[in-house]
DNA sequence: GAGTAGATCCTCT
DNA sequence: GAGGATCTACTCA
């Protein structure tokens, strides 16, 4: 296998939307409690920092929670939503520019058994990792991992040689951001065409 | 198979 | 003290 860790230069470019598109097909590997599990990214969503009203750090709002997004690219930003779901983000751009890419869905590769166990599932179904809340649960990612390096021992992002053709990538507008004016029209959500592990289209 | 309501708790005002 | 980048189960057809 031709696996290579993604470089810091990859994350630290100013083109967050481009990074979100290129993350499709890359592989997330977690090593939690000595057990390894991994999944291929099939759906992402870009958050363009201070100029993006849908982003937590809009207008450079700075709190304990968003502090992680101000790190330079290459770190994990994990936060809790609705009290029960952990959402896994990849921090991009340079230090003090709070851009991030939300990973919305992955296709399981290794550690199927441990993922099913974490999700209390007996069968292998696409819904195991199709959705931002459930994929982090399946991979064992929690709020404790916010600020972790993406080249570190616990969480790694690798290029394992999966090629995604441009014609297989669907870009669509994000939902629920009508108020954001022109930003609402930007196609910042990326998915792999016809992949059963993407979350259902809205 | 599709649509809707409720769960549940951390974070910011 | 209100709300949120969601998921699941239950209802109805």
């Amino acid at each position: 296998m031709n696996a290579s860790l993604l470089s810091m230069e990859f994350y630290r470019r100013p083109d967050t939307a481009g990074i979100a598109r290129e993350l499709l097909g890359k592989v997330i590997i977690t090593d939690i409690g000595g057990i390894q599990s991994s999944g291929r990214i099939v759906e992402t969503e870009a958050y363009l920092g201070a100029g993006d009203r849908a982003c937590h750090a809009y207008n450079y709002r700075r709190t304990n929670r968003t502090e992680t997004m101000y790190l330079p690219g290459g770190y994990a930003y994990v936060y809790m939503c609705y009290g029960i779901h952990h959402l896994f983000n990849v921090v991009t751009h340079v230090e003090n520019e709070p851009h991030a890419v939300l990973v919305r869905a992955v296709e399981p590769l290794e550690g199927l058994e441990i993922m099913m166990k974490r999700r209390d599932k007996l069968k292998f179904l696409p819904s195991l990792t199709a959705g931002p809340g459930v994929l982090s649960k399946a991979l064992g990612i929690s709020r404790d991992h916010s600020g972790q390096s993406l080249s570190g021992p616990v969480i790694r992002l690798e290029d394992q040689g999966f090629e995604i053709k441009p014609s297989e990538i669907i870009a669509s507008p994000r939902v629920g951001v009508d108020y954001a004016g022109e930003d609402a029209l930007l196609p910042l959500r990326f998915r792999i065409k016809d992949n059963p592990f993407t979350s259902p289209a809205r």
Side-chain angles (χ1 to χ4, degrees):
Chain A
M1 184 122 32
N2 203 9
S4 64
L5 207 58
L6 296 183
S7 69
M8 286 299 152
E9 287 73 26
F10 176 84
Y11 303 109
R12 291 179 190 174
R13 290 173 296 156
D15 181 16
T16 299
I19 295 172
R21 188 166 47 227
E22 289 172 39
L23 278 174
L24 293 176
K26 300 295 185 290
V27 177
I28 307 175
I29 301 154
T30 61
D31 191 334
I32 314 283
I35 302 172
Q36 183 165 302
S37 49
S38 69
R40 189 162 63 114
I41 298 173
V42 296
E43 185 172 351
T44 61
E45 194 164 309
Y47 286 87
L48 305 185
D52 184 353
R53 289 195 63 169
C55 180
H56 286 156
Y58 173 64
N59 204 20
Y60 292 102
R61 197 161 50 128
R62 202 158 186 148
T63 65
N64 281 334
R65 181 175 64 164
T66 60
E67 195 64 26
T68 309
M69 265 204 277
Y70 290 86
L71 291 172
Y75 290 89
Y77 170 51
V78 186
Y79 87 100
M80 178 159 280
C81 184
Y82 291 87
I84 29 192
H85 303 297
H86 301 280
L87 273 59
F88 173 71
N89 301 251
V90 173
V91 177
T92 63
H93 216 307
V94 296
E95 191 170 6
N96 292 321
E97 287 294 336
H99 289 218
V101 176
L102 169 68
V103 179
R104 298 188 60 86
V106 302
E107 175 181 335
L109 293 176
E110 297 176 75
L112 291 181
E113 287 187 16
I114 185 67
M115 287 195 227
M116 287 189 279
K117 197 172 175 182
R118 287 183 184 128
R119 297 268 291 116
D120 293 321
K121 297 273 185 189
L122 296 175
K123 280 187 174 179
F124 174 76
L125 297 170
S127 62
L128 189 66
T129 54
V134 294
L135 83 86
S136 40
K137 186 171 183 185
L139 289 172
I141 297 171
S142 76
R143 211 166 88 261
D144 300 337
H145 300 112
S146 199
Q148 282 275 344
S149 165
L150 295 174
S151 359
V154 183
I155 304 174
R156 291 198 305 285
L157 253 68
E158 286 185 358
D159 183 347
Q160 296 192 351
F162 293 107
E163 295 258 349
I164 309 296
K165 295 178 190 143
S167 61
E168 291 177 316
I169 296 176
I170 299 174
S172 52
R174 295 172 302 179
V175 284
V177 287
D178 296 342
Y179 54 82
E182 290 185 1
D183 292 346
L185 302 175
L186 295 175
L188 293 176
R189 190 174 188 184
F190 303 98
R191 64 177 68 205
I192 297 179
K193 188 182 179 184
D194 293 333
N195 188 295
F197 295 92
T198 55
S199 55
R202 288 199 196 167

